[in-house]
Amino acid sequence: MSENGNVPLISNSSTDNGVMGFSNLKANNKGNTITCSDTTLGADTMFYQENDFIGYSHIQHLVPKFEPFNKAIATVIISACRVSTSKQYDYGNKFNREAMNKTKIQLPTKNGKIDFDFIESFIAELEAERIAELEAERIAELEAYLLATGLKDYTLTDEEKQVLEDFEKGKIAFGRFTYKSIFNKIVQGRRLKKDDQISGNIPFVMAGTTNTGVVNYISNPVARFTKNSITIDIFGNTFYRNYDFGAGDDTGVYWNDAREYSKEVMLFFTTSMEKSISGKFDFGKKLRSSQSLNFTMKLPIQNNQPNYAIMETFISAIQKLVIKEVVLYADIKIEATKTAVDGAITEQEKTSP
């Protein structure tokens, strides 16, 4: 294998189209064909190879006896092979060359012959539907992200651009503030054993990172905490909560009922607090909220006081950048699918009589 190689190396893998890497050696197998490993339990390693390639010793090269042949036709053949060989083979009866030769598959026919025109039009229709699905998903995801963040769009304002630039260049002044100077409520949750939890609609938070620590939805009359709070568990895992919830005794809750911090400011606090205690707590040294009163977090300042405006602008900018990356990724997927479809159509036009 070579880091700058461009000839695919096809192995026994059932992922990544069977490609395990790339080489600078000359390809010894033609593309626009199908490969399959003879050491597998079925057609799970059967893939269409668009480009010329190098196959490992157990790779079988399936060359079509007919023309035209393209990715659309190969896709249907491979799917039919996978259906036909499903659960037929095991470690004592592998899908080797002899088994491949005996395998029979079902394909669309017309007048007693394989209906390649139908196959190509069917795949083109499926691909067009997939593009429509991706575009609909893109719109739905964007709307969901904007709704969750309360943003109207993901375009950075001049102020947001300036704040990001100032952060990057170190132009923002910071100061340290104790947890108790920011929050007038720092409370530990109450113990509630799993066996005692009654199903309901109250998110119940305990120590852990899975699902941000929400382990169940309960109806018990437990200690309830208001939304716009921050939780830190005994291991230092820190999360912002924008919903009412209950918490176990392994979780501390931080909020201020005398001053309503914005969601963006609370998100900034969350990140700064998590950084301030990172790596300091574990099973051997557990954190309790009462220990954290004099812990300090770094915050932007103005006149030696927290600069809440800059925090809000910075978090707003970060949220927009994240949403933009998601949207761009979705656009890349859509364009890649369109390119593949256009390529298949072009190839079909070239090979059509």
Side-chain angles (χ1 to χ4, degrees), residues 179 238 269-280 298:
Y179 289 10
T238 309
F269 290 161
T270 302
T271 301
S272 185
M273 293 166 75
E274 183 173 38
K275 189 173 182 179
S276 72
I277 59 177
S278 177
K280 296 180 179 179
K298 286 180 66 175

Side-chain angles (χ1 to χ4, degrees), residues 214-229:
V214 177
V215 297
N216 202 355
Y217 289 83
I218 64 172
S219 60
N220 303 64
V222 292
R224 295 282 294 271
F225 299 98
T226 183
K227 63 182 179 180
N228 204 37
S229 299

Side-chain angles (χ1 to χ4, degrees), residues 74-84:
T75 299
V76 172
I77 290 175
I78 292 169
S79 296
C81 285
R82 288 177 177 169
V83 170
S84 180

Side-chain angles (χ1 to χ4, degrees), residues 185-190 202-205 222-231 241 243-248 251-255:
K185 298 291 183 180
I186 300 178
V187 180
Q188 198 75 16
R190 299 284 182 85
I202 304 170
F204 188 64
V205 176
V222 292
R224 295 282 294 271
F225 299 98
T226 183
K227 63 182 179 180
N228 204 37
S229 299
I230 294 170
T231 62
R241 310 287 173 183
Y243 48 83
D244 294 344
F245 62 98
T251 302
V253 186
Y254 302 72
W255 77 101

Side-chain angles (χ1 to χ4, degrees), residues 20-45:
M20 69 167 295
F22 295 87
S23 173
N24 283 323
L25 299 176
K26 185 178 179 180
N28 56 7
N29 296 283
K30 288 293 184 182
N32 194 34
T33 52
I34 294 173
T35 57
C36 186
S37 169
D38 62 11
T39 64
T40 59
L41 311 183
D44 56 316
T45 60

